[in-house]
Amino acid sequence: MIDGVAIRVADQHDAEGIAGLRRTLRDEQLGRPSHDDGFDARFEEWIRSEAGRRVSFLADAGDRLIGMMHLVVFERMPSPERTPSRWGYLANAFVLEGFRDRGVGSALLDRLLGHAREIGCVRVVLSPSERSVPFYARAGFGPATMLMAQVL
């Protein structure tokens, strides 16, 4: 626990709080309040569909959620003479502005990486924002030279 903030795995009761953090993240990206009357229903459907492959880690200050970080797990196809493995994609990391630079993001990342190791992930990849590159670099992330991508 960091100054009254617990890092925990989300459960089925956290959808509304996660949706609120997602909305706040988008508002920051836009520089203004977002307006989308259908967001809550789409989010509820999406989070249910992701439950089997996504683990959401939350920073919980007791009276509200102040941060989140998600691990999407990809199972590799079994192959002869190859140990089964999986890898993770770190997504939608966010800490409310008033709680940044207090170790909350690092605590979320530590918990996520610990979980990834526990379940046998061979790597965790992410697509960082420009602002987050130094944060991830300090945690040991580097350029992903083993992957290729095509932007569609």
Side-chain angles (χ1 to χ4, degrees):
M1 187 172 290
I2 304 167
D3 296 329
V5 177
I7 306 300
R8 63 177 179 82
V9 174
D11 63 30
Q12 70 273 14
H13 304 292
D14 290 311
E16 185 178 334
I18 296 169
L21 288 170
R22 181 66 173 154
R23 184 180 296 276
T24 302
L25 168 59
R26 185 64 177 149
D27 292 353
E28 274 191 24
Q29 291 169 335
L30 293 171
R32 61 172 171 74
S34 55
H35 300 286
D36 184 344
D37 293 334
F39 169 72
D40 292 330
R42 282 193 329 273
F43 189 87
E44 184 73 31
E45 181 180 325
W46 173 84
I47 204 163
R48 270 195 312 274
S49 72
E50 286 287 303
R53 68 185 194 122
R54 178 178 297 259
V55 181
S56 299
F57 298 89
L58 302 175
D60 188 336
D63 59 341
R64 68 178 173 153
L65 300 179
I66 62 163
M68 63 181 178
M69 193 173 283
H70 306 265
L71 181 69
V72 182
V73 179
F74 295 87
E75 298 283 339
R76 288 185 170 196
M77 181 184 288
S79 179
E81 298 185 19
R82 187 175 192 183
T83 304
S85 66
R86 56 181 55 115
W87 62 277
Y89 181 78
L90 189 162
N92 308 112
F94 179 69
V95 174
L96 291 174
E97 186 174 15
F99 294 90
R100 294 178 190 154
D101 300 319
R102 296 183 184 182
V104 175
S106 294
L108 283 164
L109 183 58
D110 289 348
R111 182 76 184 271
L112 181 145
L113 293 175
H115 178 77
R117 284 184 198 94
E118 287 173 14
I119 65 169
C121 287
V122 295
R123 73 176 52 88
V124 172
V125 299
L126 57 94
S127 179
S129 65
E130 187 175 321
R131 182 177 75 185
S132 69
V133 169
F135 169 76
Y136 291 114
R138 285 191 304 272
F141 284 80
T145 58
M146 77 291 283
L147 300 173
M148 295 176 75
Q150 181 179 46
V151 179
L152 302 176

